[in-house]
Amino acid sequence: MNRRELLDLYYLEARAKLIDVAAFLDRLERAEGASDFRLTAFTQALTQLGRSQEPRVVRVLASLSDPTTEPIPAATTKAACGAWPGKS
Amino acid sequence: MRYIEPHAHMVSRVTDDYRAMTLAGCAAVCEPAFWAGFDRSAAAGFYDYFRQLTEHEPQRAAKFGLPHFSWLCINPKESEDVALAREVIALIPQFLERPNVLGIGEIGLNKNSRNELQVLEMHVDLAARHQQLILVHTPHLEDKLKGTRLILDVLRADARIRPERCLIDHVEEHTVKMVLDAGFWGGMTLYPETKCTAARAVDMIEQYSGERLWMNSACDWGVSVPLAIPLAALELRRRGHGAEAIDRLIYQNPVRFLSQCSKFKLPKEPMASA
Ligand SMILES: [Zn+2]
């Protein structure tokens, strides 16, 4: 499909998601209390949306990933939260 | 339209889902062993679960004329307890000859811990000793990239393992290339929020030829969509892919991988496209 056709197919959906992200960040800003590493990770991931050699989606996913390579000593939880808390 | 659902946890779904899937063109459903949402208290719980996967669930599916296949293992989410895992793995060989068992899965990692890795190696050894196909679960979200690398290292370190007989599931844009480049099959899971949308799956198919890729819904007890594959087929169509290309992805590809197990046989299809 050409660019025009892809815009016809996905523009409104992507626009809605973009506005949702903006509203999400505003909502967080209006709220009180401490934030955590997830917001930091999210904000950093947003900077990956600019154009470069590697696809944006790969860079965003990588920036939200655990960058370490060694297995952790033990699993203390089963869940993943979508951002790497960092060495703590 | 016909399709294979290569990854669905039907024990967690209602009978209406079987009906909807069959109506949508599902020609076979494959069910990997997974985590029940709570930890089972003993190996006996897994024995019963394996019976459910190999006796009861095929009968539920058969009511809709739908062939049901299964994969056996202890899921990575329960692999932190190595002693329990060892007991469960010892139960598996007695089930491997059952007519609907395709191989060992879904094994892999969850939090990328040392114990999970050890249990993964035990499963890989089991599969190698019994010449079984392997279905791999890769971790979620922030753990996926690291976990996929660790899993590929384990599989490549065992000379008995042939990559074309292993499917690495839940790939996303940051892991699909390393999986395919190493000769493995990749599975794209169409799961809202935490995995991959249909539009992104189509992106990957367009970039990586789709030769060794399949799609699945991985529907389970969580928020998930049993009809995710037919919906992705619709997305492929919206993106200009023809009927033959769609059939190759959602039917012929899974058949090609799964047929490496001689037990994967489908009844002759009266409506099969000429
Ligand atoms: Zn699964």
Side-chain angles (χ1 to χ4, degrees):
Chain A
M1 293 182 103
N2 63 32
R3 286 202 181 112
R4 192 61 184 272
E5 288 166 332
L6 284 171
L7 282 165
D8 288 345
L9 197 55
Y10 291 118
Y11 175 74
L12 281 178
E13 189 186 322
R15 178 185 184 275
K17 286 177 180 170
L18 177 63
I19 293 167
D20 258 344
V21 168
F24 166 64
L25 292 172
D26 287 342
R27 200 176 305 136
L28 282 169
E29 206 161 281
R30 285 195 305 274
E32 296 187 352
S35 177
D36 66 30
F37 65 93
R38 288 172 296 180
L39 180 57
T40 316
F42 196 92
T43 313
Q44 276 168 9
L46 286 176
T47 67
Q48 303 297 327
L49 292 178
R51 200 168 167 190
S52 107
Q53 285 289 80
E54 208 178 7
R56 294 169 182 85
V57 64
V58 172
R59 284 184 280 133
V60 167
L61 282 164
S63 85
L64 294 171
S65 297
D66 176 352
T68 65
T69 54
E70 288 300 309
I72 61 170
T76 53
T77 168
K78 292 189 201 297
C81 67
W84 186 59
K87 290 191 187 79
S88 51
Chain B
M1 185 178 71
R2 57 181 185 171
Y3 74 96
I4 308 287
E5 172 54 83
H7 188 147
H9 301 292
M10 299 308 293
V11 301
S12 305
R13 307 300 312 188
V14 295
T15 303
D16 286 349
D17 293 331
Y18 272 122
R19 190 172 62 164
M21 288 162 68
T22 313
L23 270 173
C26 189
V29 60
C30 309
E31 176 153 7
F34 87 138
W35 185 52
F38 64 96
D39 286 352
R40 295 167 179 97
S41 60
F46 287 86
Y47 181 86
D48 287 341
Y49 179 42
F50 296 155
R51 283 187 49 227
Q52 187 179 15
L53 289 177
T54 57
E55 296 170 20
H56 179 67
E57 212 54 43
Q59 285 172 20
R60 272 183 88 204
K63 292 196 176 117
F64 298 90
L66 187 61
H68 175 283
F69 298 93
S70 62
W71 300 79
L72 304 179
C73 75
I74 175 169
N75 190 272
K77 281 203 173 71
E78 280 165 303
S79 293
E80 196 53 30
D81 184 343
V82 178
L84 174 68
R86 198 167 279 124
E87 275 184 73
V88 175
I89 289 172
L91 292 173
I92 294 174
Q94 66 190 293
F95 289 94
L96 289 178
E97 293 308 312
R98 295 209 168 176
N100 80 328
V101 176
L102 297 173
I104 303 300
E106 54 183 306
I107 59 173
L109 298 172
N110 182 52
K111 295 304 294 179
N112 304 323
S113 75
R114 287 182 196 147
N115 284 1
E116 289 173 11
L117 210 55
Q118 189 186 340
V119 173
L120 170 62
E121 286 165 348
M122 287 156 57
H123 276 116
V124 170
D125 175 64
L126 175 74
R129 280 188 286 114
H130 294 270
Q131 289 99 43
Q132 297 292 306
L133 294 177
I134 291 177
L135 178 65
V136 174
H137 163 96
T138 53
H140 303 281
L141 304 172
E142 72 273 18
D143 300 314
K144 184 180 296 293
L145 182 60
K146 172 180 175 177
T148 304
R149 286 183 180 136
L150 289 169
I151 289 164
L152 295 191
D153 287 346
V154 168
L155 292 169
R156 284 186 292 216
D158 192 321
R160 299 167 297 174
I161 299 301
R162 284 161 47 199
E164 70 274 18
R165 290 175 56 83
C166 306
L167 186 129
I168 314 297
D169 218 334
H170 319 318
V171 299
E172 291 181 61
E173 291 87 343
H174 57 329
T175 57
V176 63
K177 189 172 184 307
M178 68 172 103
V179 165
L180 296 178
D181 284 352
F184 297 96
W185 280 70
M188 296 177 294
T189 299
L190 306 157
Y191 204 93
E193 290 183 4
T194 56
K195 295 190 178 80
C196 179
T197 62
R200 286 171 53 202
V202 178
D203 291 337
M204 285 187 264
I205 288 161
E206 289 176 351
Q207 289 173 87
Y208 296 101
S209 92
E211 175 77 4
R212 271 180 284 115
L213 284 172
W214 77 24
M215 295 188 284
N216 57 67
S217 75
C219 59
D220 57 15
W221 41 258
V223 177
S224 46
V225 184
L227 294 183
I229 297 177
L231 288 165
L234 183 61
E235 188 70 14
L236 278 159
R237 211 163 124 165
R238 290 193 332 146
R239 292 271 285 266
H241 295 261
E244 167 57 26
I246 294 172
D247 187 69
R248 211 178 312 130
L249 270 160
I250 65 176
Y251 183 87
Q252 297 170 40
N253 272 10
V255 166
R256 199 151 44 87
F257 177 78
L258 297 166
S259 296
Q260 295 182 90
C261 172
S262 58
K263 284 185 272 177
F264 185 80
K265 290 240 160 47
L266 297 177
K268 280 267 173 288
E269 245 197 299
M271 297 186 306
S273 52

